[in-house]
Amino acid sequence: MATRIDSLPRPGNSLKRSILSGRPRFSGLDLFFGVGPSLAALLVISALLMILGVIVVNGLPHVNWTFISSYPSSDHGASYGIFPTIVGTFFLSILMIVLALPLGVSTAVYLTEYAGNSRFARLVRAAVNNLAGVPSIVFGLFGVGFFILFVGSGLDRLTQPLDPETGQHLLFYGQPALFWAACTLACLTLPVIIVSTEEALLAVPRSYREAALAVGATKWQAIWDHVIPQARGGILTGAILAISRGAGETAPILFTGAAYFLPDLPLFYWNGIPVMNPWTQFMEMAYHIFILATQSTDPQATLPHQYATTLVLLVLTFGLNLVAIIARYQYRRSLQH
């Protein structure tokens, strides 16, 4: 037994010898690769629990029904009310994932099932990886330049009448709006969805594809009926990560649609039924916290409001994630039966 252990060319040999001999001895490598990661994980978990504890302790006493259901003040003060920010954050997250998920999944299916390792596929993968490292404020400036000034203004020139006073087309699409903010966030979260979906598709055994093709199915039928259902758990994981990141971002929506105070919700009424209006500005919780912390005349007075708003934002984000996790769990259970 001793000869076999000594022959193992691994840095953990001394640890195994120590365990088998009953004499605990640790080398420097055992300490670095064995204890070091555990201490790092403990440090990260401790920091996370400390941050969550500070937010809960300082924010929970100020969260009540009036705080959740009323409007904020327009003077950057510490007045109650974040209901429009909750509605705006929920609408933004839903619209973002509706825009990003089909495009991300389609791209991952193309790269995995059709493009293979071609030069174009390698170029797309490199672009996706580089896109994941772009700072979020750059996405905000891109959203202003491309979606609002280029696409929106172009739609206004095609669809809107001329203003008789200025001789310019009236602005409708070419101004900050919920839809443009969601498009900007969709670009930000697209790499997360593509990478997670591609990994989930690659994890599906090739035998599933071969069995479907063997009984006469086309390639698309094999992908749609057998591969994508098996990878749905990984796809939902990508959606969860995208919602978590998009709901907490401030810089991409800074110029593309968010506002500190609005007297109305982003809604219009269709036959008396309230429907989300994507072509208007909106209030958002992360942007609301940013304005309270930086633009208020008395930032210390707004601290309880900031902690309470942050706590509600975390609960909303965890709630959206919980819905996706439950959907993934239910789907896995359906596959087992």
Side-chain angles (χ1 to χ4, degrees):
M1 181 62 70
T3 304
R4 291 179 58 190
I5 293 177
D6 292 340
S7 65
L8 293 174
R10 298 176 182 174
N13 275 352
S14 59
L15 178 62
K16 293 181 178 179
R17 287 197 300 271
S18 300
I19 295 173
L20 294 177
S21 63
R23 291 178 299 175
R25 291 184 303 171
F26 299 95
S27 69
L29 289 176
D30 291 329
L31 185 65
F32 181 80
F33 289 107
V35 182
S38 301
L39 291 177
L42 183 62
L43 180 64
V44 171
I45 294 173
S46 300
L48 176 63
L49 292 178
M50 184 176 66
I51 293 173
L52 291 177
V54 170
I55 293 173
V56 171
V57 169
N58 292 280
L60 190 59
H62 305 281
V63 177
N64 51 47
W65 178 245
T66 304
F67 177 75
I68 293 175
S69 62
S70 60
Y71 279 70
S73 64
S74 59
D75 57 354
H76 297 170
S79 301
Y80 271 27
I82 58 168
F83 179 66
T85 66
I86 297 175
V87 175
T89 304
F90 180 76
F91 283 171
L92 180 67
S93 301
I94 296 299
L95 192 55
M96 172 198 68
I97 203 65
V98 167
L99 292 171
L101 193 60
L103 182 59
V105 173
S106 302
T107 304
V109 169
Y110 170 75
L111 292 175
T112 307
E113 304 295 335
Y114 292 96
N117 196 31
S118 64
R119 181 177 298 177
F120 179 72
R122 293 197 299 271
L123 181 63
V124 173
R125 289 191 179 96
V128 170
N129 293 331
N130 289 324
L131 198 64
V134 175
S136 57
I137 186 63
V138 177
F139 279 98
L141 298 175
F142 167 77
V144 174
F146 180 74
F147 291 119
I148 296 178
L149 299 182
F150 180 70
V151 179
S153 297
L155 290 175
D156 283 340
R157 285 192 291 273
L158 293 175
T159 59
Q160 299 302 312
L162 289 173
D163 188 343
E165 295 182 358
T166 63
Q168 303 291 327
H169 290 275
L170 294 175
L171 285 179
F172 182 77
Y173 300 106
Q175 57 186 348
L178 175 62
F179 185 76
W180 299 136
C183 289
T184 306
L185 283 181
C187 294
L188 176 73
T189 57
L190 203 55
V192 177
I193 298 175
I194 292 175
V195 172
S196 60
T197 304
E198 194 173 2
E199 293 297 328
L201 293 173
L202 289 173
V204 178
R206 182 166 295 279
S207 58
Y208 281 73
R209 301 169 177 83
E210 295 172 347
L213 296 175
V215 296
T218 63
K219 185 169 185 177
W220 171 246
Q221 288 173 333
I223 295 171
W224 181 257
D225 294 333
H226 300 277
V227 178
I228 290 181
Q230 293 297 323
R232 198 171 295 174
I235 296 172
L236 286 174
T237 301
I240 293 171
L241 295 175
I243 290 174
S244 300
R245 184 175 183 187
E249 286 288 349
T250 302
I253 62 174
L254 197 63
F255 312 111
T256 54
Y260 170 71
F261 178 77
L262 290 173
D264 300 314
L265 299 175
L267 295 172
F268 70 89
Y269 291 88
W270 181 70
N271 293 333
I273 303 173
V275 181
M276 177 177 62
N277 182 5
W279 301 113
T280 184
Q281 287 188 275
F282 63 101
M283 299 184 70
E284 203 266 348
M285 301 183 75
Y287 183 74
H288 186 70
I289 298 169
F290 169 74
I291 293 297
L292 286 177
T294 59
Q295 305 297 319
S296 174
T297 56
D298 188 0
Q300 290 298 322
T302 65
L303 273 179
H305 196 80
Q306 295 175 40
Y307 279 118
T309 308
T310 304
L311 178 60
V312 177
L313 175 60
L314 290 177
V315 172
L316 179 64
T317 305
F318 290 159
L320 290 172
N321 291 345
L322 184 62
V323 171
I325 291 171
I326 292 174
R328 184 176 60 183
Y329 175 73
Q330 294 293 339
Y331 175 72
R332 285 182 175 175
R333 286 194 61 185
S334 67
L335 286 181
Q336 293 174 355
H337 294 84

